[in-house]
Amino acid sequence: MAQSDKTLPISAIDSCMAILSIIRLMNFQCGKHALVLDRPHIMGIVNVTPDSFSDGGRYARVDLALAHALQLIADGADILDVGGESTRPGAEPVSLEEELNRVIPLISALAKVVNVPISIDTYKPEVMRQAIAAGAAMVNDVQALRMPGALEVVANSDVGVCLMHMQGEPKTMQIAPHYHDVVAEVQQFLSERLNAVTAAGVAMDRIVLDPGFGFGKSRAHNIALLKNLTPLTQLGAPLLVGLSRKSILAAMTGDEAAQRLPASIAAAVISVMKGAKILRVHDVKATAEAFKVWAAIQ
Ligand code: 8Y4
């Protein structure tokens, strides 16, 4: 066989390079952790809010949350997302002091015993700073580092970050959400934040993007985003999706009182099929089982 027969045509080399660049970008660095996003990853939700772990005082609350977090890891969580302030529609903000009291003791305790990255769900720079000092390896910010000082905290660390889209603020965001083209506007916002955060010195492989389901979006907006998730995966950073138990699922099933697990599983699998790499969920075990079915056909 002549040498020229073994030479790949330019178009094949281009295709290989394109595939390689995709594989290279599917690495997510958060602190000392390097997540290889060649399979869907599960971010398990650990809420430390009074409504999730009522009474019993601070120590009881940390103990309960710790036990819950360890169960999520046993169930297959790849990341733990610790949050101390509810960002549900209509929720009131909590004070900095109260948020720190809720999350820092738990992160300190968790960091000593788990080897998955711990994410801090906050938009407050001081909470980010103290959480990172306590062992958090990732910041999950529903404000995409727009609060003054937040970008600097992340840039001056080695943690990973999730930049999420939100229109308005939690207290009022669901009152009259409006877009001309929700997919284009979310894409534009995420692209701008990606540029701002990389310009501040955060490497591309430390960033994941999130369309922010339910955050200042109507039923039609959420459906349009889920249907058109794939274009958002082309911005150059992996996509994280949170649809677990959200009321937008009830809007889709038409049954507000229904159990939301079946709809949450469907939403998670659809998201993965459309290119999402990390799913933020409450029901880790059930989601992990569903992903095994998807993995079997890859
Ligand atoms: C039941 C329980 C029903 C919780 C609804 C909810 C996202 C997020 C939230 C998300 C990222 C929530 C902090 C809303 N959602 N972070 N956080 N993406 N990155 N509501 O979609 O879970 S809180």
Side-chain angles (χ1 to χ4, degrees):
M1 190 189 286
Q3 181 64 38
S4 60
D5 293 337
K6 290 184 191 166
T7 310
L8 286 168
I10 297 292
S11 62
I13 294 170
D14 280 350
S15 304
C16 289
M17 293 304 283
I19 291 163
L20 278 172
S21 72
I22 291 164
I23 292 168
R24 179 174 53 81
L25 288 172
M26 292 304 113
N27 234 327
F28 179 43
Q29 288 292 144
C30 34
K32 64 179 177 181
H33 307 267
L35 303 185
V36 182
L37 302 180
D38 56 353
R39 58 166 177 87
H41 277 51
I42 297 176
M43 172 187 258
I45 299 169
V46 184
N47 280 318
V48 213
T49 48
D51 43 302
S52 46
F53 296 103
S54 56
D55 53 46
R58 166 133 53 108
Y59 293 106
R61 204 158 72 197
V62 171
D63 270 3
L64 276 169
L66 192 63
H68 180 60
L70 296 180
Q71 183 61 53
L72 294 184
I73 293 174
D75 290 346
D78 300 292
I79 305 171
L80 293 176
D81 191 36
V82 174
E85 175 178 23
S86 175
T87 33
R88 284 188 198 202
E92 294 285 344
V94 301
S95 72
L96 171 63
E97 192 190 12
E98 175 60 21
E99 192 177 342
L100 288 169
N101 283 340
R102 290 177 186 178
V103 298
I104 302 303
L106 175 62
I107 291 172
S108 300
L110 273 174
K112 291 187 185 85
V113 295
V114 306
N115 41 37
V116 302
I118 301 162
S119 161
I120 174 67
D121 158 19
T122 191
Y123 55 86
K124 294 180 187 136
E126 182 60 17
V127 177
M128 294 175 190
R129 203 184 58 73
Q130 292 197 32
I132 293 166
M138 176 177 177
V139 166
N140 174 27
D141 185 358
V142 298
Q143 299 250 29
L145 304 181
R146 284 179 291 166
M147 185 131 280
L151 183 51
E152 289 74 12
V153 172
V154 170
N156 292 325
S157 76
D158 65 352
V159 303
V161 63
C162 177
L163 306 173
M164 197 196 80
H165 175 273
M166 168 164 60
Q167 186 182 81
E169 53 184 74
K171 208 164 143 61
T172 52
M173 65 191 177
Q174 288 307 108
I175 292 172
H178 176 81
Y179 302 83
H180 292 288
D181 179 339
V182 67
V183 179
E185 286 170 50
V186 167
Q187 179 149 11
Q188 181 64 30
F189 172 87
L190 293 177
S191 164
E192 282 170 17
R193 293 311 296 154
L194 191 59
N195 285 338
V197 174
T198 51
V202 180
M204 195 71 159
D205 66 357
R206 290 171 55 197
I207 304 171
V208 298
L209 302 173
D210 184 338
F213 283 102
F215 286 85
K217 285 147 191 122
S218 70
R219 172 194 144 92
H221 297 143
N222 288 305
I223 290 173
L225 280 169
L226 183 56
K227 190 172 171 180
N228 298 287
L229 212 54
T230 309
L232 301 178
T233 66
Q234 258 115 68
L235 290 169
L239 212 61
L240 187 154
V241 162
L243 278 161
S244 182
R245 297 188 191 172
K246 285 186 179 173
S247 58
I248 62 170
L249 298 171
M252 292 180 191
T253 61
D255 186 353
E256 192 62 42
Q259 292 295 317
R260 292 193 186 160
L261 180 59
S264 298
I265 297 292
V269 173
I270 291 167
S271 300
V272 164
M273 293 186 82
K274 287 181 177 284
K277 298 294 178 193
I278 304 174
L279 276 292
R280 180 181 180 275
V281 307
H282 300 84
D283 304 284
V284 170
K285 192 166 193 179
T287 308
E289 290 286 304
F291 287 172
K292 284 182 196 167
V293 177
W294 175 83
I297 60 153
Q298 296 315 298

